[in-house]
Protein backbone atom coordinates (compact mmCIF):
# COMPACT_ATOMS: atom_id res chain seq x y z
CA UNK A 1 0.00 0.00 0.00
CA UNK A 2 1.29 3.50 -0.81
CA UNK A 3 2.17 5.91 1.96
CA UNK A 4 0.89 9.48 2.05
CA UNK A 5 4.25 10.76 0.79
CA UNK A 6 3.91 8.59 -2.32
CA UNK A 7 0.68 10.28 -3.43
CA UNK A 8 0.08 13.58 -5.18
CA UNK A 9 -3.65 14.19 -5.08
CA UNK A 10 -5.31 16.24 -7.84
CA UNK A 11 -8.93 15.66 -6.78
CA UNK A 12 -11.38 18.51 -7.31
CA UNK A 13 -12.76 18.52 -3.80
CA UNK A 14 -12.52 17.73 -1.05
CA UNK A 15 -8.92 18.58 -1.86
CA UNK A 16 -5.78 17.40 -0.16
CA UNK A 17 -4.63 19.19 2.98
CA UNK A 18 -1.02 19.82 3.99
CA UNK A 19 0.28 16.84 5.94
CA UNK A 20 1.60 18.95 8.82
CA UNK A 21 -1.81 20.61 9.15
CA UNK A 22 -3.47 17.20 9.40
CA UNK A 23 -0.93 16.01 11.97
CA UNK A 24 -1.55 19.03 14.19
CA UNK A 25 -5.32 18.73 13.73
CA UNK A 26 -5.30 15.01 14.52
CA UNK A 27 -3.64 15.69 17.88
CA UNK A 28 -6.09 18.52 18.59
CA UNK A 29 -8.97 16.18 17.82
CA UNK A 30 -7.89 13.95 20.68
CA UNK A 31 -6.64 16.57 23.17
CA UNK A 32 -6.68 20.27 22.37
CA UNK A 33 -3.80 22.09 24.06
CA UNK A 34 -3.82 19.93 27.17
CA UNK A 35 -7.48 20.51 28.02
CA UNK A 36 -8.26 16.78 28.07
CA UNK A 37 -10.96 17.33 25.44
CA UNK A 38 -10.70 17.25 21.67
CA UNK A 39 -11.38 20.43 19.73
CA UNK A 40 -14.56 18.92 18.28
CA UNK A 41 -15.85 18.40 21.82
CA UNK A 42 -15.41 21.94 23.11
CA UNK A 43 -18.52 24.10 23.05
CA UNK A 44 -18.81 26.37 20.05
CA UNK A 45 -19.64 29.15 22.54
CA UNK A 46 -16.55 28.60 24.68
CA UNK A 47 -13.67 31.05 24.95
CA UNK A 48 -11.52 28.50 23.10
CA UNK A 49 -13.89 28.41 20.16
CA UNK A 50 -14.23 32.19 20.07
CA UNK A 51 -10.46 32.59 19.95
CA UNK A 52 -10.14 30.09 17.09
CA UNK A 53 -12.87 31.86 15.16
CA UNK A 54 -11.47 35.36 15.69
CA UNK A 55 -7.94 34.31 14.78
CA UNK A 56 -9.12 32.61 11.56
CA UNK A 57 -11.06 35.74 10.57
CA UNK A 58 -8.09 37.98 11.32
CA UNK A 59 -5.66 35.78 9.39
CA UNK A 60 -7.98 35.56 6.39
CA UNK A 61 -8.39 39.33 6.41
CA UNK A 62 -4.62 39.75 6.60
CA UNK A 63 -3.83 37.23 3.86
CA UNK A 64 -6.33 38.69 1.38
CA UNK A 65 -6.11 42.31 2.60
CA UNK A 66 -9.84 42.43 3.31
CA UNK A 67 -10.88 46.08 3.92
CA UNK A 68 -12.35 47.04 7.29
CA UNK A 69 -15.75 47.84 5.78
CA UNK A 70 -16.31 44.14 5.03
CA UNK A 71 -17.58 41.46 7.41
CA UNK A 72 -16.29 37.86 7.37
CA UNK A 73 -18.89 35.20 8.15
CA UNK A 74 -18.43 31.47 8.70
CA UNK A 75 -21.51 29.55 7.62
CA UNK A 76 -22.71 26.09 6.61
CA UNK A 77 -24.61 24.61 3.62
CA UNK A 78 -21.69 24.92 1.18
CA UNK A 79 -21.46 26.94 -2.01
CA UNK A 80 -24.77 25.49 -3.14
CA UNK A 81 -26.42 26.89 -0.02
CA UNK A 82 -24.97 30.27 -0.91
CA UNK A 83 -26.72 30.16 -4.30
CA UNK A 84 -29.91 30.48 -2.25
CA UNK A 85 -28.53 32.68 0.53
CA UNK A 86 -27.35 35.37 -1.88
CA UNK A 87 -30.83 35.52 -3.39
CA UNK A 88 -32.66 35.75 -0.07
CA UNK A 89 -30.31 38.35 1.38
CA UNK A 90 -29.70 40.57 -1.63
CA UNK A 91 -33.33 40.63 -2.73
CA UNK A 92 -34.09 41.63 0.86
CA UNK A 93 -31.45 44.37 0.68
CA UNK A 94 -32.98 45.60 -2.59
CA UNK A 95 -36.44 45.78 -0.97
CA UNK A 96 -34.99 47.64 2.02
CA UNK A 97 -33.35 50.24 -0.21
CA UNK A 98 -36.58 50.79 -2.14
CA UNK A 99 -38.54 50.98 1.11
CA UNK A 100 -36.13 53.56 2.57
CA UNK A 101 -36.40 55.67 -0.59
CA UNK A 102 -40.20 55.62 -0.43
CA UNK A 103 -40.26 56.48 3.28
CA UNK A 104 -37.89 59.41 2.77
CA UNK A 105 -40.37 60.79 0.23
CA UNK A 106 -42.94 60.94 3.03
CA UNK A 107 -45.37 58.33 1.72
CA UNK A 108 -47.71 56.60 4.17
CA UNK A 109 -47.50 52.85 4.84
CA UNK A 110 -50.14 51.85 2.29
CA UNK A 111 -48.49 53.96 -0.40
CA UNK A 112 -45.07 52.56 0.43
CA UNK A 113 -46.31 48.99 0.06
CA UNK A 114 -48.12 49.78 -3.18
CA UNK A 115 -44.98 51.40 -4.60
CA UNK A 116 -42.86 48.46 -3.47
CA UNK A 117 -45.20 45.96 -5.11
CA UNK A 118 -45.06 47.89 -8.38
CA UNK A 119 -41.26 48.00 -8.29
CA UNK A 120 -41.01 44.30 -7.45
CA UNK A 121 -43.30 43.45 -10.36
CA UNK A 122 -41.61 45.75 -12.87
CA UNK A 123 -38.01 46.27 -11.79
CA UNK A 124 -36.69 43.44 -9.59
CA UNK A 125 -33.97 41.59 -11.50
CA UNK A 126 -31.03 39.36 -10.62
CA UNK A 127 -28.31 39.08 -13.27
CA UNK A 128 -26.33 35.88 -13.93
CA UNK A 129 -23.29 35.39 -16.12
CA UNK A 130 -23.33 31.66 -16.94
CA UNK A 131 -19.90 30.34 -17.85
CA UNK A 132 -20.01 26.79 -16.51
CA UNK A 133 -21.85 24.16 -14.51
CA UNK A 134 -21.81 26.02 -11.18
CA UNK A 135 -22.97 29.41 -12.41
CA UNK A 136 -25.69 27.54 -14.32
CA UNK A 137 -26.84 25.90 -11.07
CA UNK A 138 -26.88 29.31 -9.37
CA UNK A 139 -28.97 30.74 -12.21
CA UNK A 140 -31.39 27.82 -12.05
CA UNK A 141 -31.78 28.28 -8.29
CA UNK A 142 -32.68 31.93 -8.81
CA UNK A 143 -35.32 30.96 -11.36
CA UNK A 144 -36.70 28.37 -8.93
CA UNK A 145 -36.91 30.74 -5.97
CA UNK A 146 -37.99 33.97 -7.66
CA UNK A 147 -39.43 32.91 -11.00
CA UNK A 148 -37.69 33.39 -14.37
CA UNK A 149 -39.38 36.77 -14.85
CA UNK A 150 -37.07 38.18 -12.17
CA UNK A 151 -33.87 36.57 -13.46
CA UNK A 152 -31.78 37.92 -16.32
CA UNK A 153 -29.35 35.70 -18.21
CA UNK A 154 -26.55 38.18 -18.94
CA UNK A 155 -24.58 35.68 -21.01
CA UNK A 156 -24.57 31.94 -21.67
CA UNK A 157 -21.16 30.60 -22.69
CA UNK A 158 -22.68 27.60 -24.43
CA UNK A 159 -24.08 29.82 -27.17
CA UNK A 160 -20.57 30.58 -28.47
CA UNK A 161 -19.07 27.09 -28.06
CA UNK A 162 -21.30 24.58 -29.83
CA UNK A 163 -23.55 24.06 -26.82
CA UNK A 164 -20.70 23.35 -24.40
CA UNK A 165 -18.86 25.36 -21.78
CA UNK A 166 -15.24 26.29 -22.34
CA UNK A 167 -15.25 29.96 -23.29
CA UNK A 168 -16.32 33.21 -21.64
CA UNK A 169 -18.39 35.44 -23.94
CA UNK A 170 -16.95 38.85 -24.79
CA UNK A 171 -18.16 41.44 -22.31
CA UNK A 172 -19.43 43.60 -25.19
CA UNK A 173 -22.13 40.94 -25.74
CA UNK A 174 -23.32 40.86 -22.11
CA UNK A 175 -26.88 42.03 -21.53
CA UNK A 176 -26.86 43.58 -18.07
CA UNK A 177 -30.03 44.79 -16.38
CA UNK A 178 -30.45 48.33 -15.19
CA UNK A 179 -29.86 48.47 -11.42
CA UNK A 180 -30.20 44.72 -10.68
CA UNK A 181 -30.38 43.46 -7.10
CA UNK A 182 -27.10 41.71 -7.86
CA UNK A 183 -24.86 40.47 -10.68
CA UNK A 184 -23.55 36.95 -10.10
CA UNK A 185 -20.64 35.13 -11.67
CA UNK A 186 -18.44 32.16 -10.78
CA UNK A 187 -14.81 33.23 -10.85
CA UNK A 188 -13.55 29.70 -11.50
CA UNK A 189 -15.65 26.87 -12.88
CA UNK A 190 -14.40 23.68 -11.24
CA UNK A 191 -16.15 21.26 -13.61
CA UNK A 192 -15.35 22.99 -16.89
CA UNK A 193 -11.88 24.41 -16.21
CA UNK A 194 -12.83 28.01 -16.99
CA UNK A 195 -11.54 30.99 -14.98
CA UNK A 196 -11.90 34.74 -15.31
CA UNK A 197 -8.36 36.04 -15.81
CA UNK A 198 -9.29 39.35 -14.18
CA UNK A 199 -12.26 41.23 -12.76
CA UNK A 200 -14.80 41.91 -15.55
CA UNK A 201 -14.50 45.49 -16.79
CA UNK A 202 -18.25 45.58 -17.46
CA UNK A 203 -18.84 45.28 -13.71
CA UNK A 204 -16.14 47.65 -12.49
CA UNK A 205 -17.23 50.47 -10.19
CA UNK A 206 -17.40 53.98 -11.61
CA UNK A 207 -15.10 56.83 -10.64
CA UNK A 208 -17.57 57.99 -8.00
CA UNK A 209 -17.57 54.53 -6.40
CA UNK A 210 -21.03 53.54 -7.58
CA UNK A 211 -21.63 50.40 -9.56
CA UNK A 212 -23.48 47.10 -9.58
CA UNK A 213 -23.75 44.84 -6.56
CA UNK A 214 -21.34 42.13 -7.66
CA UNK A 215 -21.46 38.64 -6.15
CA UNK A 216 -18.82 36.01 -6.92
CA UNK A 217 -18.47 32.33 -6.16
CA UNK A 218 -14.74 31.78 -5.55
CA UNK A 219 -14.98 28.32 -4.03
CA UNK A 220 -12.22 26.80 -6.16
CA UNK A 221 -9.70 29.61 -6.63
CA UNK A 222 -9.84 31.60 -3.39
CA UNK A 223 -6.44 32.16 -1.70
CA UNK A 224 -4.65 31.47 -5.00
CA UNK A 225 -4.46 35.04 -6.31
CA UNK A 226 -4.99 38.65 -5.29
CA UNK A 227 -8.60 39.86 -5.43
CA UNK A 228 -9.77 43.47 -5.91
CA UNK A 229 -12.17 42.99 -3.01
CA UNK A 230 -13.44 46.56 -3.20
CA UNK A 231 -15.03 45.70 -6.58
CA UNK A 232 -17.27 43.10 -4.95
CA UNK A 233 -20.21 43.45 -2.64
CA UNK A 234 -20.04 39.79 -1.66
CA UNK A 235 -17.68 36.86 -2.17
CA UNK A 236 -18.36 33.34 -0.94
CA UNK A 237 -16.41 30.10 -1.03
CA UNK A 238 -16.58 26.59 0.34
CA UNK A 239 -13.54 25.71 2.42
CA UNK A 240 -12.80 22.32 0.89
CA UNK A 241 -10.63 23.41 -2.04
CA UNK A 242 -7.94 25.80 -0.79
CA UNK A 243 -8.90 26.74 2.75
CA UNK A 244 -9.62 23.59 4.70
CA UNK A 245 -12.01 20.68 5.08
CA UNK A 246 -15.61 20.19 4.06
CA UNK A 247 -18.19 21.64 6.44
CA UNK A 248 -17.83 25.41 6.46
CA UNK A 249 -18.44 28.17 3.94
CA UNK A 250 -16.99 31.66 4.15
CA UNK A 251 -18.77 34.85 3.13
CA UNK A 252 -17.00 38.20 2.76
CA UNK A 253 -19.72 40.84 2.57
CA UNK A 254 -19.84 44.62 2.57
CA UNK A 255 -21.06 45.95 5.90
CA UNK A 256 -23.29 48.37 4.01
CA UNK A 257 -25.48 45.35 3.14
CA UNK A 258 -25.96 44.55 6.83
CA UNK A 259 -27.63 46.39 9.73
CA UNK A 260 -27.71 49.11 10.77
CA UNK A 261 -27.31 50.47 7.23
CA UNK A 262 -29.43 47.82 5.51
CA UNK A 263 -31.60 45.66 7.81
CA UNK A 264 -33.57 42.89 6.18
CA UNK A 265 -37.28 43.57 5.54
CA UNK A 266 -39.76 41.88 7.84
CA UNK A 267 -41.13 38.46 6.86
CA UNK A 268 -44.60 40.03 6.87
CA UNK A 269 -43.58 42.53 4.20
CA UNK A 270 -41.88 39.88 2.08
CA UNK A 271 -45.00 37.72 2.23
CA UNK A 272 -47.17 40.64 1.14
CA UNK A 273 -44.83 41.28 -1.79
CA UNK A 274 -44.88 37.63 -2.81
CA UNK A 275 -41.15 37.19 -2.23
CA UNK A 276 -39.48 34.13 -0.64
CA UNK A 277 -38.38 34.16 3.00
CA UNK A 278 -35.08 32.39 3.56
CA UNK A 279 -34.14 30.01 6.37
CA UNK A 280 -32.78 31.88 9.35
CA UNK A 281 -29.46 30.00 9.19
CA UNK A 282 -28.86 31.57 5.75
CA UNK A 283 -29.50 35.11 6.97
CA UNK A 284 -26.33 37.20 6.82
CA UNK A 285 -27.91 39.64 9.28
CA UNK A 286 -28.45 36.90 11.87
CA UNK A 287 -25.08 35.21 11.31
CA UNK A 288 -23.21 38.54 11.57
CA UNK A 289 -25.13 39.60 14.68
CA UNK A 290 -24.15 36.32 16.35
CA UNK A 291 -20.50 36.31 15.26
CA UNK A 292 -21.12 33.23 13.06
CA UNK A 293 -22.42 31.30 16.08
CA UNK A 294 -26.19 31.49 15.74
CA UNK A 295 -26.26 27.70 15.52
CA UNK A 296 -23.59 25.07 16.16
CA UNK A 297 -20.66 25.85 13.88
CA UNK A 298 -18.02 23.18 13.26
CA UNK A 299 -15.14 24.76 15.18
CA UNK A 300 -12.90 21.84 14.21
CA UNK A 301 -13.24 22.85 10.55
CA UNK A 302 -12.59 26.50 11.44
CA UNK A 303 -9.51 25.33 13.35
CA UNK A 304 -8.21 23.49 10.26
CA UNK A 305 -8.84 26.59 8.13
CA UNK A 306 -6.90 28.60 10.68
CA UNK A 307 -3.96 26.19 10.50
CA UNK A 308 -3.93 26.46 6.69
CA UNK A 309 -3.96 30.26 6.92
CA UNK A 310 -1.14 30.20 9.49
CA UNK A 311 0.92 28.06 7.14
CA UNK A 312 0.24 30.36 4.16
CA UNK A 313 1.18 33.48 6.13
CA UNK A 314 4.37 31.82 7.38
CA UNK A 315 5.30 30.55 3.92
CA UNK A 316 4.65 33.77 2.02
CA UNK A 317 5.78 37.07 3.57
CA UNK A 318 4.10 38.78 0.62
CA UNK A 319 0.92 36.86 1.48
CA UNK A 320 -1.39 35.95 -1.39
CA UNK A 321 0.98 37.39 -4.01
CA UNK A 322 3.52 34.72 -3.14
CA UNK A 323 0.99 31.91 -3.44
CA UNK A 324 -0.25 33.37 -6.73
CA UNK A 325 3.24 33.15 -8.21
CA UNK A 326 3.48 29.47 -7.25
CA UNK A 327 0.00 28.71 -8.57
CA UNK A 328 0.82 30.32 -11.90
CA UNK A 329 4.11 28.44 -12.14
CA UNK A 330 2.43 25.08 -11.49
CA UNK A 331 -0.31 25.73 -14.04
CA UNK A 332 2.26 26.83 -16.63
CA UNK A 333 4.21 23.59 -16.22
CA UNK A 334 1.14 21.41 -16.74
CA UNK A 335 -0.31 23.38 -19.65
CA UNK A 336 3.05 23.49 -21.43
CA UNK A 337 3.40 19.72 -21.11
CA UNK A 338 -0.05 19.27 -22.66
CA UNK A 339 0.59 21.81 -25.42
CA UNK A 340 3.87 20.12 -26.35
CA UNK A 341 1.98 16.93 -27.26
CA UNK A 342 -0.94 18.06 -29.48
CA UNK A 343 -1.30 14.61 -31.02
CA UNK A 344 -1.93 13.07 -27.61
CA UNK A 345 -3.95 15.71 -25.72
CA UNK A 346 -6.63 18.31 -26.31
CA UNK A 347 -7.08 21.04 -23.71
CA UNK A 348 -10.80 21.69 -23.27
CA UNK A 349 -11.15 25.44 -22.46
CA UNK A 350 -10.09 28.22 -24.81
CA UNK A 351 -6.56 29.58 -24.09
CA UNK A 352 -7.80 32.92 -22.78
CA UNK A 353 -10.11 31.27 -20.25
CA UNK A 354 -8.05 28.37 -18.94
CA UNK A 355 -8.28 27.82 -15.22
CA UNK A 356 -5.10 27.71 -13.16
CA UNK A 357 -6.91 25.58 -10.58
CA UNK A 358 -8.79 22.98 -12.64
CA UNK A 359 -6.91 21.88 -15.75
CA UNK A 360 -9.32 19.97 -17.99
CA UNK A 361 -8.15 17.98 -21.00
CA UNK A 362 -8.88 14.93 -23.13
CA UNK A 363 -6.54 12.11 -24.13
CA UNK A 364 -6.96 11.69 -27.89
CA UNK A 365 -4.02 9.43 -28.69
CA UNK A 366 -5.09 6.18 -30.35
CA UNK A 367 -8.52 7.21 -31.61
CA UNK A 368 -10.61 5.58 -28.87
CA UNK A 369 -10.75 8.42 -26.35
CA UNK A 370 -12.52 6.44 -23.61
CA UNK A 371 -9.95 3.64 -23.78
CA UNK A 372 -7.07 6.12 -23.96
CA UNK A 373 -8.29 8.01 -20.90
CA UNK A 374 -8.85 4.82 -18.94
CA UNK A 375 -5.29 3.77 -19.70
CA UNK A 376 -3.98 7.23 -18.80
CA UNK A 377 -5.71 7.09 -15.42
CA UNK A 378 -4.43 3.59 -14.69
CA UNK A 379 -0.85 4.54 -15.55
CA UNK A 380 -1.05 7.79 -13.57
CA UNK A 381 -2.15 5.92 -10.46
CA UNK A 382 0.89 3.67 -10.78
CA UNK A 383 2.97 6.86 -10.54
CA UNK A 384 1.13 8.03 -7.41
CA UNK A 385 -0.87 10.65 -9.32
CA UNK A 386 -4.41 10.36 -7.93
CA UNK A 387 -7.75 12.15 -8.44
CA UNK A 388 -7.32 12.94 -12.14
CA UNK A 389 -10.65 11.64 -13.42
CA UNK A 390 -12.88 14.40 -14.85
CA UNK A 391 -16.28 15.31 -13.47
CA UNK A 392 -18.94 12.71 -14.19
CA UNK A 393 -20.98 15.22 -16.23
CA UNK A 394 -18.22 15.96 -18.75
CA UNK A 395 -15.71 13.11 -18.51
CA UNK A 396 -12.10 13.50 -19.55
CA UNK A 397 -9.17 14.28 -17.29
CA UNK A 398 -9.03 17.06 -14.69
CA UNK A 399 -5.97 18.04 -12.68
CA UNK A 400 -7.05 20.23 -9.80
CA UNK A 401 -4.03 22.35 -9.07
CA UNK A 402 -5.02 23.67 -5.65
CA UNK A 403 -2.64 25.34 -3.20
CA UNK A 404 -1.95 22.06 -1.38
CA UNK A 405 -0.41 20.53 -4.53
CA UNK A 406 3.32 21.24 -4.17
CA UNK A 407 5.44 22.46 -7.05
CA UNK A 408 7.10 19.06 -7.09
CA UNK A 409 3.70 17.45 -7.61
CA UNK A 410 2.98 19.64 -10.65
CA UNK A 411 6.44 18.81 -12.02
CA UNK A 412 5.74 15.11 -11.55
CA UNK A 413 2.45 15.35 -13.42
CA UNK A 414 3.99 17.40 -16.24
CA UNK A 415 6.73 14.80 -16.63
CA UNK A 416 4.19 11.97 -16.71
CA UNK A 417 2.07 13.80 -19.32
CA UNK A 418 5.09 14.07 -21.60
CA UNK A 419 6.30 10.51 -21.03
CA UNK A 420 2.87 8.96 -21.52
CA UNK A 421 2.43 10.71 -24.87
CA UNK A 422 5.70 9.23 -26.12
CA UNK A 423 4.97 5.65 -25.07
Amino acid sequence: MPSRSDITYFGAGPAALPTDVLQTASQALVDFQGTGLGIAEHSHRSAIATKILEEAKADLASYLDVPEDYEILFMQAGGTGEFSATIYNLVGAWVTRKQQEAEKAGADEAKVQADLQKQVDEQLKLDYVVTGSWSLKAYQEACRLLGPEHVNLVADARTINHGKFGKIPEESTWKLSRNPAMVFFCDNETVDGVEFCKFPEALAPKADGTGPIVVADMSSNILSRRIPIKNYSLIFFGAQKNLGSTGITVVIVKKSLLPPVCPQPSPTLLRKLGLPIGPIVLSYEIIAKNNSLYNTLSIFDVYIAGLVLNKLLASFPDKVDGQEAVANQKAKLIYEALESQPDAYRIVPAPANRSRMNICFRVIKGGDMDAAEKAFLEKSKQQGLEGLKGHRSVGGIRASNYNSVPLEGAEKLAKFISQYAKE
Side-chain angles (χ1 to χ4, degrees):
M1 296 294 288
S3 67
R4 184 175 180 85
S5 61
D6 296 326
I7 299 297
T8 305
Y9 186 61
F10 292 93
L17 285 161
T19 299
D20 55 348
V21 165
L22 288 177
Q23 289 170 336
T24 301
S26 65
Q27 177 58 45
L29 195 56
V30 177
D31 184 348
F32 181 69
Q33 297 182 353
T35 61
L37 287 175
I39 186 61
E41 297 167 307
H42 281 279
S43 168
H44 63 296
R45 303 197 188 281
S46 65
I48 286 173
T50 299
K51 183 181 179 185
I52 289 170
L53 185 60
E54 291 301 329
E55 287 181 351
K57 288 168 66 173
D59 286 346
L60 179 60
S62 174
Y63 182 77
L64 290 178
D65 290 325
V66 178
E68 290 186 1
D69 58 338
Y70 284 74
E71 185 72 47
I72 296 174
L73 309 176
F74 284 86
M75 300 179 65
Q76 296 169 62
T80 301
E82 290 304 317
F83 295 163
S84 306
T86 52
I87 296 164
Y88 294 130
N89 286 277
L90 294 181
V91 167
W94 182 90
V95 170
T96 293
R97 291 194 300 275
K98 297 298 182 183
Q99 183 181 21
Q100 289 172 343
E101 290 169 7
E103 289 174 345
K104 281 181 183 178
D108 60 28
E109 185 177 344
K111 180 68 165 57
V112 167
Q113 185 175 323
D115 286 346
L116 284 175
Q117 188 66 67
K118 181 176 174 58
Q119 292 187 74
V120 166
D121 294 341
E122 298 178 0
Q123 297 179 24
L124 176 59
K125 290 287 184 183
L126 276 67
D127 280 7
Y128 285 80
V129 184
V130 174
T131 56
S133 300
W134 291 111
S135 52
L136 177 60
K137 288 180 183 294
Y139 166 77
Q140 291 169 336
E141 178 68 350
C143 291
R144 186 182 75 87
L145 291 178
L146 285 181
E149 68 274 14
H150 292 301
V151 186
N152 175 45
L153 183 58
V154 172
D156 185 341
R158 294 170 295 181
T159 62
I160 61 166
N161 197 41
H162 310 291
K164 295 182 179 180
F165 294 119
K167 295 181 179 180
I168 296 176
E170 293 290 335
E171 292 181 33
S172 60
T173 67
W174 291 10
K175 298 177 180 178
L176 293 160
S177 300
R178 181 180 179 183
N179 299 321
M182 72 176 188
V183 183
F184 178 100
F185 72 96
C186 181
D187 203 44
N188 184 80
E189 292 281 2
T190 319
V191 172
D192 307 286
V194 171
E195 184 176 24
F196 281 83
C197 65
K198 61 180 181 179
F199 185 84
E201 292 182 10
L203 305 180
K206 300 174 184 175
D208 62 1
T210 62
I213 293 176
V214 179
V215 174
D217 176 356
M218 294 190 179
S219 291
S220 51
N221 66 348
I222 195 68
L223 309 188
S224 73
R225 70 178 186 187
R226 182 161 292 280
I227 306 164
I229 292 179
K230 280 287 190 181
N231 290 359
Y232 299 89
S233 294
L234 190 149
I235 296 166
F236 69 80
F237 45 96
Q240 68 273 14
K241 315 286 189 179
N242 278 332
L243 179 60
S245 53
T246 305
I248 53 171
T249 310
V250 181
V251 174
I252 303 174
V253 57
K254 268 189 176 179
K255 290 179 180 177
S256 60
L257 290 171
L258 300 170
V261 179
C262 190
Q264 284 286 299
S266 69
T268 300
L269 177 58
L270 290 174
R271 274 192 290 270
K272 288 179 179 178
L273 296 173
L275 294 172
I277 302 166
I280 200 164
V281 293
L282 295 184
S283 167
Y284 299 148
E285 177 177 323
I286 295 296
I287 300 301
K289 189 182 297 183
N290 290 273
N291 191 30
S292 299
L293 296 173
Y294 176 76
N295 60 328
T296 307
L297 184 68
S298 175
I299 295 300
F300 178 61
D301 293 316
V302 178
Y303 176 67
I304 290 178
L307 293 176
V308 171
L309 288 164
N310 284 337
K311 184 178 178 67
L312 286 170
L313 288 167
S315 301
F316 301 106
D318 50 353
K319 298 186 286 193
V320 71
D321 295 322
Q323 178 62 71
E324 181 172 6
V326 174
N328 292 346
Q329 184 181 1
K330 291 189 297 173
K332 186 173 184 286
L333 282 168
I334 298 169
Y335 278 121
E336 284 183 347
L338 293 168
E339 289 173 331
S340 70
Q341 304 293 337
D343 294 332
Y345 307 107
R346 176 174 61 82
I347 302 171
V348 174
N353 308 134
R354 289 175 183 170
S355 169
R356 301 161 307 121
M357 294 289 102
N358 306 103
I359 299 169
C360 297
F361 60 96
R362 306 305 302 256
V363 182
I364 57 176
K365 182 180 178 180
D368 185 342
M369 197 155 58
D370 289 340
E373 289 173 348
K374 183 178 180 181
F376 179 93
L377 291 170
E378 289 175 353
K379 288 268 188 177
S380 66
K381 285 186 176 183
Q382 294 171 13
Q383 301 296 317
L385 302 169
E386 293 278 359
L388 288 167
K389 188 174 182 180
H391 191 272
R392 62 187 181 277
S393 65
V394 295
I397 310 296
R398 175 176 55 175
S400 292
N401 179 39
Y402 298 135
N403 290 352
S404 62
V405 175
L407 178 60
E408 295 76 17
E411 291 171 338
K412 186 177 178 181
L413 175 59
K415 183 179 179 181
F416 171 75
I417 286 170
S418 298
Q419 289 178 339
Y420 183 79
K422 296 172 183 176
E423 289 180 359

